[in-house]
Amino acid sequence: MSQNTFHQFIKFSTDAYGLERTLRFLQSLTQLLLSYPSLPLAFLPFLGFPAEKIPRTLSPRKKLTLTELKSRLSLGRRYFRLFRFLESFSQAFDKYIEASAKSKAEGKPPSSGAKKAKAGLAVGLLLGGVGIEKWLEILSKSFNGVYYCAETATFVDELKVDGLGVWGRELARKVMKEGNRMWFFALILAVLAGGWKVGRLGAEIAQTRREVRHLEKEVRRERSAAGPTLVKPPPPQTSSRSKGGHGGWEEQQQQWREQETRLGRVRVGEEKLEELRTKLDKLLDTRYKAGRRAVADVLDMAVPGKAVGWVPFSTGAVSALMLASTWLTGLEVWEKCGESVAKSEAKGEAKAKPKSE
């Protein structure tokens, strides 16, 4: 393990999102073991254990232990999400303000009458200006905030301390069921927003690739027209000028200048190519991450869908989907922690340079 990876692991294991994802992974794994107790036992024969001596079911005591562990892990995750609803609502509001400001800066309402202008601006802000993708993200964050509100409201009841409660167990269950409906809607909207984003990025990637191919042809054409590299001709001597050799020197000078102009265009084209390729790499990476997130949201839909009775999956299937989605979203947090570590190290190196000099 390299030093950067070790620092990334430290960042992930001390980050609130990283810890929450770790606990979710353990929770889904525990739930999977409860649903399919013989699943890990299937690997024991490969380790040398006799197949006839391997138990195929869990004892009541082990089942009770795993059930209690799953409950504790679920409660532990809720500590990290206690005030997450504030973050969700804040993100939804910020996205709307940002999109509205951008729409006002770029869009111009029609100038034929004040009423028409106001109507055009309103429609632009609500539909065209903010954009469908932004609206889907705003609504997704808003529904997610309502779900987190339900979690926070029922947190005291979830502690299951005798004599301490807000709603009562039965009403708290109903509140969380409504919260799970909001979560399900939030995931649907997030999937639609992710699909829209992937499609938009796909169109942008195709356009960038066309630009790269066109520019590559232009650079090849200019390089081919430039021919072999010429050396700048030295100025003619006085004796050569008197004998009429000045015309040949001027011709060589003109050829050299034309080649330098073409090579200059080649250098500019190569710089633009580098910029376009960097842009293309970023677009591909963004599309991959958006698609990965959309897949994780699709898998996550099984969890609230099962809770409200809208998804006819078994508990084991939901656990497997939850495990897969946790891995995908955990990768996202892991990558963000890596980027944070890289930025911190870059800042440290920048500060250390003047001291060493």
Side-chain angles (χ1 to χ4, degrees):
M1 181 186 290
S2 66
Q3 190 175 4
N4 286 348
T5 307
F6 180 65
H7 288 160
Q8 187 176 358
F9 175 75
I10 293 173
K11 182 73 175 175
F12 180 83
S13 59
T14 54
D15 182 79
Y17 285 96
L19 282 171
E20 197 274 336
R21 292 294 92 182
T22 303
L23 292 175
R24 191 178 197 258
F25 186 84
L26 294 174
Q27 179 191 347
S28 53
L29 191 61
T30 305
Q31 194 168 309
L32 193 64
L33 291 176
L34 278 168
S35 302
Y36 304 108
S38 61
L39 188 63
L41 303 177
F43 296 97
L44 291 181
F46 298 102
L47 300 176
F49 290 90
E52 61 276 3
K53 293 184 179 181
I54 297 174
R56 296 297 171 187
T57 57
L58 291 173
S59 63
R61 186 176 178 180
K62 288 181 180 177
K63 192 176 289 186
L64 185 64
T65 301
L66 286 175
T67 303
E68 185 65 23
L69 176 61
K70 183 192 76 172
S71 177
R72 296 290 177 87
L73 289 170
S74 177
L75 178 61
R77 290 176 53 220
R78 291 183 73 161
Y79 284 99
F80 295 100
R81 303 197 304 268
L82 191 57
F83 295 104
R84 192 69 63 82
F85 68 93
L86 295 174
E87 182 185 46
S88 290
F89 287 139
S90 176
Q91 287 175 347
F93 182 74
D94 290 344
K95 283 180 181 292
Y96 178 75
I97 293 299
E98 179 189 352
S100 298
K102 188 177 179 182
S103 173
K104 287 177 183 178
E106 294 178 355
K108 293 182 180 179
S111 56
S112 56
K115 291 183 180 179
K116 207 171 183 181
K118 288 179 182 178
L121 181 59
V123 172
L125 287 174
L126 292 175
L127 297 176
V130 175
I132 295 176
E133 182 186 327
K134 285 294 179 184
W135 267 120
L136 290 171
E137 290 176 354
I138 290 165
L139 291 173
S140 175
K141 292 292 181 184
S142 301
F143 276 111
N144 223 21
V146 176
Y147 165 70
Y148 285 134
C149 272
E151 273 203 336
T152 302
T154 58
F155 178 76
V156 176
D157 297 275
E158 191 62 26
L159 293 174
K160 296 177 182 176
V161 177
D162 291 336
L164 183 65
V166 176
W167 306 89
R169 300 247 176 120
E170 190 61 34
L171 188 55
R173 228 176 267 119
K174 290 180 180 177
V175 171
M176 275 312 302
K177 188 172 183 178
E178 295 304 316
N180 277 306
R181 284 196 177 96
M182 297 301 105
W183 184 19
F184 192 84
F185 295 148
L187 290 172
I188 290 175
L189 291 164
V191 170
L192 291 174
W196 191 281
K197 186 175 184 179
V198 168
R200 175 177 59 79
L201 289 171
E204 197 171 344
I205 286 168
Q207 176 62 27
T208 307
R209 279 177 172 159
R210 283 194 293 268
E211 290 176 8
V212 168
R213 285 195 295 267
H214 175 72
L215 198 53
E216 282 175 343
K217 289 179 182 177
E218 288 293 321
V219 169
R220 281 197 300 267
R221 185 176 61 80
E222 289 290 345
R223 189 180 286 115
S224 175
T229 306
L230 300 175
V231 180
K232 183 177 180 180
Q237 297 177 0
T238 309
S239 59
S240 299
R241 291 179 186 176
S242 60
K243 293 178 181 179
H246 188 60
W249 175 81
E250 284 184 348
E251 186 179 347
Q252 291 176 2
Q253 187 78 359
Q254 182 65 25
Q255 290 175 354
W256 177 80
R257 283 175 182 167
E258 288 177 359
Q259 187 181 66
E260 282 298 305
T261 303
R262 290 185 182 277
L263 291 176
R265 287 199 289 263
V266 168
R267 284 190 290 271
V268 171
E270 286 175 343
E271 288 174 4
K272 287 183 179 177
L273 266 177
E274 188 63 30
E275 290 175 5
L276 283 174
R277 284 168 181 157
T278 303
K279 178 186 174 183
L280 184 60
D281 290 339
K282 287 181 180 178
L283 287 172
L284 288 168
D285 184 60
T286 305
R287 185 179 67 171
Y288 162 71
K289 288 178 179 177
R292 183 180 65 187
R293 183 69 195 204
V295 170
D297 289 335
V298 169
L299 298 176
D300 262 341
M301 285 170 63
V303 181
K306 174 71 174 176
V308 299
W310 290 347
V311 176
F313 288 167
S314 65
T315 305
V318 172
S319 304
L321 294 174
M322 183 178 172
L323 189 70
S325 71
T326 306
W327 178 264
L328 293 175
T329 50
L331 278 176
E332 185 179 331
V333 180
W334 174 262
E335 288 169 358
K336 286 180 180 177
C337 290
E339 291 171 5
S340 176
V341 168
K343 286 180 182 177
S344 299
E345 289 183 352
K347 285 181 182 178
E349 289 176 2
K351 288 180 180 179
K353 271 185 180 180
K355 292 180 182 179
S356 61
E357 291 172 359

